[in-house]
């Protein structure tokens, strides 16, 4: 795996480092679901820095094109991912709790000496995908076969 990059998170933020990834499907083994296809390259950037009050953070942005399988008509549709998030780094467990209480909307992660960045990005990418991929309302209809049968082996029943 050429993109495997392990960082010490606090060291990365202290030095204000930036790591760029250009990912293809081969780099994202957990996106193996046939419902998700990486049709373009996915670009991801991780920036380390500190906020004005000194809190170290990682900024992650992910952008690129995917094809998702619409769970209504089962056709593929284009999905543009444009994700950005900030993670405050807590130096220990008690600080993790403090930051979480102060700013609930903010993601916090525990400092790590060996964080696998690609793994981290892949997790965020999975979270950024819609739980139930669907075309916009009115764009497609359920195929007749799915309307008429209530096949309990259909994995998509119950997802709505
Ligand atoms: Zn559809």
């Amino acid at each position: 795996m050429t993109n495997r990059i392990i960082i010490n998170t606090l060291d990365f933020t202290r030095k204000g480092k930036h790591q760029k990834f250009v990912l293809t499907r081969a780099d994202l083994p957990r996106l193996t679901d046939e419902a998700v296809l990486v049709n373009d390259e996915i670009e991801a950037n991780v920036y380390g820095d500190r906020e004005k009050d000194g809190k170290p953070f990682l900024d992650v942005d992910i952008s690129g094109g995917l094809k998702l399988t619409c769970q209504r008509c089962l056709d593929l549709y284009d999905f543009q991912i444009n994700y950005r998030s900030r993670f405050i780094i807590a130096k220990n467990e008690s600080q993790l709790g403090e930051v979480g209480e102060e700013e609930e909307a903010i993601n916090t992660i525990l400092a790590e000496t060996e964080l696998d960045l690609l793994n981290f990005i892949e997790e965020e990418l999975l979270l950024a995908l819609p739980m139930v991929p669907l075309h916009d309302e009115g764009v497609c209809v359920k195929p007749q076969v799915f309307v008429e049968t209530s096949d309990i082996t259909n994995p998509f029943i119950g997802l709505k």
Side-chain angles (χ1 to χ4, degrees):
M1 199 70 64
T2 51
N3 271 308
R4 214 34 93 183
I5 289 174
I6 312 287
I7 62 161
N8 175 320
T9 49
L10 286 176
D11 190 56
F12 192 88
T13 57
R14 193 178 304 122
K15 292 176 179 164
K17 285 191 178 175
H18 165 219
Q19 180 66 50
K20 177 179 171 176
F21 293 89
V22 177
L23 305 172
T24 62
R25 190 168 189 182
D27 298 306
L28 302 163
R30 279 188 284 167
L31 290 183
T32 49
D33 191 336
E34 282 176 18
V36 181
L37 300 175
V38 176
N39 49 320
D40 297 331
E41 287 175 337
I42 295 198
E43 188 180 316
N45 289 283
V46 181
Y47 303 89
D49 209 340
R50 276 157 192 269
E51 293 192 328
K52 287 196 187 76
D53 61 7
K55 284 199 193 89
F57 67 83
L58 291 178
D59 272 349
V60 179
D61 68 58
I62 305 172
S63 59
L66 301 170
K67 281 198 189 297
L68 303 181
T69 303
C70 170
Q71 305 292 277
R72 192 186 296 120
C73 68
L74 303 182
D75 267 348
L76 289 169
Y77 70 102
D78 288 310
F79 180 77
Q80 195 64 32
I81 194 157
N82 217 329
Y83 169 90
R84 190 176 179 94
S85 198
R86 173 163 296 188
F87 297 85
I88 302 286
I89 299 173
K91 294 188 178 99
N92 51 50
E93 297 277 355
S94 69
Q95 205 184 42
L96 189 67
E98 277 170 33
V99 179
E101 274 171 30
E102 274 172 38
E103 308 170 76
E104 254 179 59
I106 303 237
N107 302 302
T108 46
I109 51 172
L110 206 53
E112 284 188 51
T113 51
E114 292 188 343
L115 176 71
D116 181 330
L117 273 188
L118 181 57
N119 198 33
F120 185 60
I121 288 167
E122 191 180 20
E123 256 165 46
E124 291 311 305
L125 179 55
L126 287 167
L127 290 174
L129 296 178
M131 291 271 280
V132 182
L134 286 175
H135 279 113
D136 287 337
E137 202 62 48
V139 171
C140 66
V141 290
K142 235 176 226 255
Q144 205 60 24
V145 59
F146 285 106
V147 177
E148 284 172 2
T149 61
S150 54
D151 179 359
I152 53 162
T153 61
N154 179 355
F156 303 123
I157 284 178
L159 283 182
K160 304 206 322 170

